């Protein structure tokens, strides 16, 4: 029933779209326009019975009239004509079809889905959907969703039973780079097991995120998961674990209610890491895609504020990540480097130090090269640009203080040198570094700088859950190694 | 030992600063410059033994030479001269002193702190600190911290044993409006109990946030808390509950280790709501300061995405907030309003509806006026501005679609009319509305618009913890009413 040659789905040489028009306010048109704006380089072929041109592109009246072989067809059509159009695609030799159209199992219409399955099987077509939102394949410059986000190619695969979580929510984390984003919808043909199998051997994919409302093939999922987690981390957000959640999931994609406890136990047995929120999932995927897996669970906390250092230590230790007291030897080395006021036992608190070299270089280096520590959380990723507010806001002429100039120099040096040095230290010692700040990507350009250079930075305590999940994966790998 | 007339601390007619200079890179100078830039309207009086002018202001060699009575003095001085300078302040009749200087109890120097206490008592001075970061009093245009943030006057009091959490971390939530922000430091004289007592009867304060590393006066804290929570909500982040956290807190402000379990039980008995992170605290304070307390725990979830609706319902129901199935009668009313594809049982899922009137007006109104629902979470606060990316990014001329114009009109209408209408609905029915988005304040101006008009909006699941904490307070009030 499955084509298993996914090239027509992920690297199509051309894409037909049924359901786009020149009316911008329809989903099909938004899919088309995103495909254009995302820079897809293959042929885009709108299919429409009446229009001559759509978005300036030549239109064919039916898929059968298209003179070349079509790799991929996107359908955003009225429910009642979907089956007919799939039949036409089959006869025209289309390799893959993504069906956005809804109105099937999720509202009790099982019959039409069965018809789709039969046609897909007969013609050996990869069918994604129905009732999905589309796919985003950055390496192929494909965004076939209604949401205008164009992430860069990277190593995170996201396989989602929620369309919103497959595209819309990604706006909240603009620095995550993807290999594949697939919205599954009702899983009429291809399902979460198929794509987990695919991503396991996909060389572009280093880490996999799942949004799960229900598992249709339990045994196969168990097997696919068991084979995948030894190779790469898999994280999952399970939804529908309460009465209200189940009610919502059933209406959403026709998922069977009350499965979530079973799913949770499958995850535990197969080493998939369960997360609680979409934000936790996205942040954790980022760290697992661009940081080394820690060798153990002992983390150093470096902080320019006592409060956050204490909170971080608490949150980590409550979740099986140790913030161990450093050896007297290592403390002595830190003491020799830092001012008297610094805390050196771990957390390393250098609040009253204003030497960037200590924060970004000397202290991280001492911790990273020590066998006592498996990774670092660093609170204090700030550009100093915002301090110019002090001068800009002043009603008194403060230019004699040469504040801006001094600070600009310091800032530049931090960005270009110290932070790159920090990132290189992580690579050299092959240990993860997770940054923490009070700024977000659009607040201060240093955050964008770090993220674009492979150092994940989150706001305050948002840095902690990704560390916990990295350690969970490290512990799973250790457990596998023992068996 | 306590002055108890806090006017010199919160509404000083003038402020002396010891420890500022013309070197911008010292803490004292940064305190001074923030005071100037924040727009403080009283006299600012630098005290310095050598300088003639600092930041353009006339300098006095000592506090005794100042010809007028000084209300408030900030000290950022070397540890060893602090006692002497406090003595001078006492003799000069200064009302309040904030001591930023460190190097006391937190490093074992108990003796000097005892001296400070004695002088404060003798001269009846309000002493805040030592080892604190300062205070921010927006109504008096006072920012006496090194961090350039100038929040607007509002109803949140923040009393913090962490200096970082009292100013620096607030940058992460730029829309929170404060009555008072006080950094306690070592609590040499005034402590958390004094300020909890003060804020209880402070008319500007509607909700209180605490960062606690340790409680020095347990009985008095219990009493102060018991008297406060019936009047206004109090939320607390307790830090130092693990071995590493305790180690960190001890080094930080000399807090006694291992108290956190005791503190947690005090909080529970007195109705203070314990939170897990600083972000949760700030977000919850915002909702409790500008939304009505819900009458019960039954929430409606309105969503433009099935996935987030399901996740929200799960997270709420796991934490004692009900997302009840709506009555057949109310579902019928929703069905009559919404398209066939909508989910109406709760969550109300209107993913495929593109009628802003439904999302921001009709559905919220039906829920808010119903006795079945005590408040609303709404996922779908988006300006449509970001959709113009589709057109802007296109290599093809798409101007014939009139996308920008249409969308700009729709956007404007949403901002100016529908969202204001939504905010007014909340006021009319006196029930809380919490918004959720994929954008943050600096990403899309609609978020700023909502926040500035009193509708809290958070990213994705960050909306949920504040709802849970609001319901916790509602339940506490109910419990008190029964007794």
């Amino acid at each position: 029933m499955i084509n298993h040659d996914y090239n027509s789905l992920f690297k199509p040489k051309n894409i037909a779209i049924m359901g786009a028009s020149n009316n911008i306010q329809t989903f099909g048109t938004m899919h088309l326009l995103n495909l254009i704006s995302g820079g897809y380089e293959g042929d885009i072929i709108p299919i429409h019975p009446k229009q001559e041109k759509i978005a300036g592109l030549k239109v064919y009246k039916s898929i059968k009239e298209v003179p070349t072989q079509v790799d991929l067809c996107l359908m955003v059509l009225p429910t009642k004509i979907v089956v007919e159009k799939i039949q036409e695609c089959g006869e025209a030799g289309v390799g893959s079809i993504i069906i956005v159209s809804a109105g099937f199992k999720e509202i009790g219409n099982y019959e039409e889905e069965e018809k789709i399955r039969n046609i897909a099987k007969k013609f050996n077509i990869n069918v994604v959907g129905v009732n999905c939102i589309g796919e985003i394949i950055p390496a192929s410059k494909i965004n076939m969703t209604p949401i205008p986000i164009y992430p860069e190619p990277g190593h995170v695969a996201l396989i989602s039973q929620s369309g919103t979580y497959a595209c819309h929510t990604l706006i909240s984390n603009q620095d995550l780079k993807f290999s594949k984003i697939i919205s599954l919808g009702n899983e009429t043909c291809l399902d979460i097991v198929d794509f987990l199998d695919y991503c396991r051997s996909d060389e572009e994919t280093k880490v996999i995120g799942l949004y799960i409302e229900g598992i249709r093939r339990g045994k196969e999922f168990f097997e696919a998961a068991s084979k995948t987690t030894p190779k790469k981390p898999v994280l999952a957000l399970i939804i529908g674990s309460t009465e209200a959640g189940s009610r919502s999931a059933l209406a959403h994609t026709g998922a069977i209610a009350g499965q979530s406890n079973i799913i949770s136990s499958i995850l535990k047995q197969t080493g998939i890491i369960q997360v609680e929120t979409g934000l936790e999932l996205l942040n954790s995927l980022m760290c697992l895609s661009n940081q080394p897996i820690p060798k153990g669970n002992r983390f150093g906390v470096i902080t320019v504020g006592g409060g956050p250092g204490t909170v971080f230590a608490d949150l980590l230790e409550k979740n099986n990540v140790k913030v161990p007291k450093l050896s007297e030897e290592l403390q002595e080395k830190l003491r020799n480097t830092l001012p008297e006021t610094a805390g050196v036992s771990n957390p390393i608190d250098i609040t009253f130090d204003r030497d960037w070299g200590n924060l970004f270089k000397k202290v991280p280096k001492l911790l990273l090269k020590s066998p006592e520590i498996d990774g670092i959380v660093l609170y204090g990723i700030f550009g100093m640009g915002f301090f110019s507010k002090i001068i800009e806001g002043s009603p008194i002429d403060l230019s004699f203080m040469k504040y801006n100039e001094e600070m600009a120099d310091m800032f530049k040096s931090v960005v270009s040198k110290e932070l790159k040095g920090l990132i290189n230290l992580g690579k050299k010692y092959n240990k993860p570094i997770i940054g923490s700040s009070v700024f977000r990507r659009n607040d201060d350009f240093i955050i964008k700088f770090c993220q674009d250079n492979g150092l994940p930075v989150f706001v305050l305590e948002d840095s902690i859950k990704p560390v916990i999940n990295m350690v969970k994966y490290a512990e799973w790998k250790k457990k596998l190694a023992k068996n």
Side-chain angles (χ1 to χ4, degrees), chain A:
Chain A
M1 154 168 142
I2 294 144
N3 189 321
H4 284 307
D5 172 6
Y6 289 94
N7 279 333
S8 61
L9 186 61
F10 296 136
K11 294 175 186 171
K13 62 178 189 302
N14 57 24
I15 299 174
I17 297 194
M18 299 179 179
S21 68
N22 284 316
N23 174 6
I24 187 118
Q25 292 201 44
T26 69
F27 255 32
T29 310
M30 287 156 91
H31 279 86
L32 170 64
L33 296 179
N34 268 321
L35 191 59
I36 295 170
S37 299
Y40 174 65
E41 288 161 357
D43 287 334
I44 303 173
I45 307 160
I47 309 286
H48 197 284
K50 289 172 193 161
Q51 300 285 332
E52 290 292 321
K53 289 223 166 193
I54 291 175
L57 299 169
K58 177 173 167 53
V59 175
Y60 289 87
K61 295 221 180 307
S62 89
I63 193 86
K64 292 184 171 180
E65 290 184 9
V66 180
T68 49
Q69 163 92 19
V70 171
D71 270 356
L72 174 59
C73 177
L74 179 83
M75 286 187 189
V76 195
L77 296 170
T79 312
K80 60 181 184 228
I81 63 167
V82 167
V83 169
E84 175 195 335
K85 294 300 166 189
I86 293 173
Q87 175 73 25
E88 289 181 14
C89 282
E91 290 166 6
V94 172
S96 295
I97 305 176
I98 298 175
I99 308 172
V100 175
S101 310
F104 295 90
K105 180 170 59 183
E106 78 280 9
I107 59 162
N109 180 1
Y110 291 89
E111 201 184 328
E112 298 277 303
E113 278 202 53
E114 188 57 34
K115 285 181 190 165
I116 293 169
R117 247 189 305 275
N118 289 336
I119 301 170
K121 197 169 174 180
K122 180 176 167 189
F123 292 104
N124 197 29
I125 311 169
N126 294 314
V127 170
V128 180
V130 302
N131 188 20
C132 76
I133 204 77
E135 68 173 17
I136 298 176
I137 316 295
S140 301
K141 297 189 182 172
I142 292 175
N143 172 356
M144 281 207 295
T145 79
I147 305 296
I149 50 164
Y150 315 105
E152 285 181 39
H155 305 298
V156 175
L158 188 60
I159 308 169
S160 177
Q161 290 177 343
S162 151
T164 308
Y165 275 110
C167 56
H168 202 166
T169 63
L170 307 180
I171 295 170
S172 69
N173 190 331
Q174 299 129 318
D175 40 337
L176 197 47
K177 299 177 178 68
F178 290 95
S179 56
K180 269 110 196 150
I181 300 173
I182 305 146
S183 163
L184 297 167
N186 290 12
E187 303 183 313
T188 309
C189 299
L190 292 174
D191 68 5
I192 197 167
V193 177
D194 294 309
F195 288 112
L196 193 51
D197 281 338
Y198 178 84
C199 289
R200 178 170 62 249
S201 47
D202 178 31
E203 284 182 12
E204 291 164 12
T205 299
K206 280 192 192 171
V207 50
I208 301 166
L210 308 174
Y211 286 99
I212 304 177
E213 290 193 350
I215 303 281
R216 286 159 177 94
R217 295 192 286 157
K219 179 169 166 288
E220 290 84 351
F221 181 83
F222 193 97
E223 285 167 4
S226 302
K227 282 187 224 163
T228 309
T229 58
K231 290 189 167 187
K232 40 190 102 174
V234 184
L235 289 84
L237 177 60
I238 309 298
I239 52 189
S241 65
T242 62
E243 195 272 328
S246 299
R247 197 192 316 132
S248 179
L250 178 64
H252 185 211
T253 57
I256 297 154
Q259 277 197 334
S260 81
N261 285 341
I262 304 166
I263 297 171
S264 288
S265 76
I266 292 178
L267 298 200
K268 217 168 177 182
Q269 286 178 282
T270 57
I272 294 180
I273 295 153
Q274 188 170 350
V275 300
E276 286 179 327
T277 68
L279 289 170
E280 180 189 349
L281 182 68
L282 297 177
N283 294 346
S284 301
L285 289 170
M286 184 189 294
C287 294
L288 283 160
S289 72
N290 69 12
Q291 294 297 305
I293 306 294
K295 307 283 180 298
N297 71 345
R298 303 158 308 160
F299 268 68
V301 175
I302 305 171
T303 181
V304 297
T310 309
V311 173
F312 288 11
D314 272 352
L315 291 172
L316 289 169
E317 292 239 329
K318 279 179 190 167
N319 289 282
N320 192 36
V321 182
K322 297 291 166 208
V323 183
K325 190 174 180 176
L326 301 178
S327 67
E328 196 43 56
E329 194 193 340
L330 187 49
Q331 286 195 49
E332 190 57 32
K333 284 181 192 165
L334 287 163
R335 228 175 265 126
N336 292 340
T337 303
L338 296 171
E340 200 187 352
T341 49
V344 295
S345 69
N346 193 20
I348 318 301
D349 181 355
I350 46 181
T351 304
F352 291 100
D353 193 9
R354 243 166 265 104
D355 182 341
W356 296 103
N358 285 341
L359 179 64
F360 293 136
K361 190 171 166 184
K362 291 185 196 161
V363 175
K365 191 173 180 179
L366 282 170
L367 295 186
L368 290 170
K369 70 190 273 203
S370 161
E372 297 174 32
I373 290 295
D374 301 306
I376 281 177
V377 186
L378 192 155
Y379 173 75
I381 309 282
F382 317 127
M384 287 293 109
F386 77 109
F387 269 107
S388 63
K389 269 194 191 180
I390 297 184
I391 299 297
E392 286 163 13
S394 171
I396 299 172
D397 177 18
L398 298 171
S399 56
F400 67 93
M401 288 192 167
K402 293 181 189 166
Y403 179 88
N404 282 322
E405 205 179 311
E406 270 183 39
M407 282 293 173
D409 283 352
M410 187 193 288
F411 185 35
K412 198 174 160 191
S413 134
V414 167
V415 170
S416 64
K417 208 180 113 214
E418 302 290 1
L419 276 171
K420 273 200 180 163
L422 177 67
I423 293 164
N424 287 335
L425 276 178
K427 285 177 190 161
K428 181 177 173 188
Y429 294 104
N430 196 29
K431 292 180 181 180
I433 303 175
I434 313 296
S436 180
S437 182
V438 291
F439 297 104
R440 299 183 173 90
R441 189 172 175 92
N442 284 351
D443 303 330
D444 188 311
F445 90 76
I446 205 171
I447 306 303
K448 186 174 183 307
F449 176 87
C450 288
Q451 290 171 335
D452 291 349
N453 282 280
L455 177 66
V457 181
F458 307 102
V459 167
L460 288 170
E461 303 94 351
D462 281 352
S463 315
I464 300 305
K465 284 267 171 79
V467 173
I468 294 165
N469 290 326
M470 292 179 93
V471 166
K472 279 186 184 168
Y473 186 65
E475 302 279 321
W476 174 252
K477 291 277 279 184
K478 266 193 193 170
K479 193 179 158 187
L480 289 176
K482 273 184 202 162
N483 294 343

